[in-house]
Amino acid sequence: MTAALEDPLRSARRAVHAGHFREAWESLDAQPLPIRQSPEWLLLSAMARWRLGDFSSSRSAALQARDGYRALGDVDGEMRTENVASAGAFALGELREAERGFARALALADRLSDELMLARCANNLGNVASYLARHTTALSFYRLAASRFEKVGFDYGVAETLINTGIVWRDLGNLEQSQDAAERALEIAERDETWRLAAQAFAMRGEAMALLGDLPLGRAQVERALALARKREDRLAEVEALRILCNLERRAGRVAESERMGRAALDLATTLAHPWSVAEVQRDLGELFAVTGRGSEAAACWTEAAAGFQKLGAHSRADEMRQRAAAVQGE
């Protein structure tokens, strides 16, 4: 009992590190005001809230924690909070601020010779580059991240980097490479029972399988991803699984089911205030409407997607959406 009182954040810290983010938040939320004002409480809160989809609150808490660590002269704490605050900015669509923040965290990690944080920051910078369609840069960051994760024996990071690498290969049209990355990530996730990552890997592998010709098996994989994401309260993975199912049902000719999945994905992405997911889902709903002869609805979706990508700074993606909207309006 005395030890627990001396370290009131122990259970929350363990829950965060174990990936039990709902449990972590419940423990944090029960703490008295003096504890809630500490930099560590704010940092753990930011980490838990990000994983639960509350990106704005996560970023706010991380920034407060960063200021607290700076006041204490704690460079390690400043580094960790800079990374989490930047992840919040990234989720909210503030890509330039996220890129600057991840670069600052990377510089601090290099200064402290913190290989694990260096890997995390490189992975995050790869994600920014991926969003901006800087594919070569993204792959370079992911290679750096993977090598550092492997160096420190952090398999979760290796799997996460593989998933991100697979997304880039998918965007480049290399489905075999994407499927291979997903399968390697899934092998790690299942071995280590990291089910959040498994959900993402199942979705990616299922999408690749379906696009390579095995639609029923691919759909089953993505449905498994959706169930895992919901069980683990990974709202972004849930959006991604719904979005992919929207596309697969479209390919199968199941128009009503495709639209149902797409609208569910859009509703959830909008609720999460995650602009990248909103734009992606609008892009894919536009594709559904276009192939089913609903040109005006397709143009509206692509126009909205273009505005979303433009606001994020993903200009090449925005241009593509504007061109597609103009083409369908001219038919």
Side-chain angles (χ1 to χ4, degrees):
M1 181 66 72
T2 301
L5 291 174
E6 290 174 353
D7 188 3
L9 295 177
R10 177 185 295 173
S11 61
R13 192 183 306 115
R14 287 178 172 174
V16 165
H17 292 160
H20 302 151
F21 298 107
R22 176 65 61 186
E23 177 186 329
W25 173 244
E26 289 172 354
S27 176
L28 289 163
D29 197 36
Q31 296 299 322
L33 183 60
I35 300 299
R36 296 167 71 95
Q37 294 173 330
S38 69
E40 186 180 11
W41 185 94
L42 289 163
L43 174 57
L44 291 170
S45 169
M47 295 168 73
R49 289 183 177 188
W50 199 98
R51 290 295 187 176
L52 293 172
D54 189 354
F55 305 119
S56 181
S57 295
S58 171
R59 186 186 183 194
S60 177
L63 289 172
Q64 292 179 67
R66 184 192 65 186
D67 292 344
Y69 281 122
R70 277 181 178 170
L72 294 170
D74 186 335
V75 179
D76 179 75
E78 180 182 352
M79 172 189 67
R80 289 182 290 132
T81 50
E82 189 76 74
N83 183 59
V84 177
S86 300
F90 179 74
L92 293 168
E94 299 174 22
L95 298 188
R96 301 303 179 183
E97 178 56 34
E99 188 171 33
R100 286 191 291 268
F102 289 137
R104 287 193 294 268
L106 182 71
L108 291 172
D110 187 51
R111 173 180 161 188
L112 295 174
S113 299
D114 188 325
E115 295 284 348
L116 179 57
M117 184 56 70
L118 195 152
R120 284 173 167 153
C121 294
N123 183 56
N124 289 334
L125 284 165
N127 291 342
V128 174
S130 176
Y131 272 30
L132 297 175
R134 302 173 186 163
H135 301 306
T136 300
T137 300
L139 290 172
S140 294
F141 273 124
Y142 292 147
R143 282 193 292 271
L144 172 62
S147 68
R148 299 303 175 95
F149 281 134
E150 289 172 354
K151 183 177 179 180
V152 298
F154 188 57
D155 289 344
Y156 185 99
V158 174
E160 191 172 46
T161 304
L162 283 167
I163 290 168
N164 292 332
T165 300
I167 291 171
V168 175
W169 287 127
R170 180 198 66 195
D171 288 349
L172 290 171
N174 193 328
L175 297 174
E176 291 84 359
Q177 288 269 49
S178 181
Q179 182 176 342
D180 178 67
E183 289 176 348
R184 290 163 61 198
L186 185 59
E187 181 180 351
I188 295 171
E190 290 189 313
R191 183 191 68 210
D192 296 347
E193 298 185 344
T194 50
W195 301 116
R196 286 173 173 270
L197 280 179
Q200 297 172 49
F202 273 123
M204 180 184 295
R205 182 168 74 167
E207 181 181 35
M209 285 178 171
L211 295 178
L212 287 168
D214 197 336
L215 184 57
L217 181 57
R219 184 195 293 126
Q221 294 279 299
V222 183
E223 288 171 344
R224 186 172 181 183
L226 179 60
L228 270 174
R230 285 173 169 167
K231 182 177 181 180
R232 300 292 165 174
E233 292 189 82
D234 189 335
R235 312 304 294 282
L236 287 180
E238 182 178 351
V239 171
E240 180 68 358
L242 287 167
R243 185 190 68 78
I244 293 172
L245 286 171
C246 166
N247 292 332
L248 299 190
E249 296 294 2
R250 184 193 77 231
R251 286 175 171 271
R254 292 158 51 95
V255 175
E257 187 65 7
S258 174
E259 185 171 351
R260 186 178 75 83
M261 292 292 184
R263 292 198 181 281
L266 184 58
D267 287 347
L268 181 53
T270 302
T271 297
L272 293 174
H274 193 263
W276 179 263
S277 295
V278 170
E280 281 202 313
V281 176
Q282 287 171 326
R283 176 199 63 200
D284 293 353
L285 278 171
E287 184 68 27
L288 170 66
F289 296 143
V291 300
T292 53
R294 297 155 68 177
S296 61
E297 290 176 85
C301 282
W302 285 335
T303 299
E304 288 295 319
F309 285 133
Q310 185 70 33
K311 187 175 180 180
L312 289 162
H315 302 301
S316 63
R317 298 178 191 270
D319 288 343
E320 180 188 356
M321 291 295 94
R322 282 191 287 266
Q323 291 167 9
R324 298 198 70 184
V328 79
Q329 285 173 323
E331 292 178 353

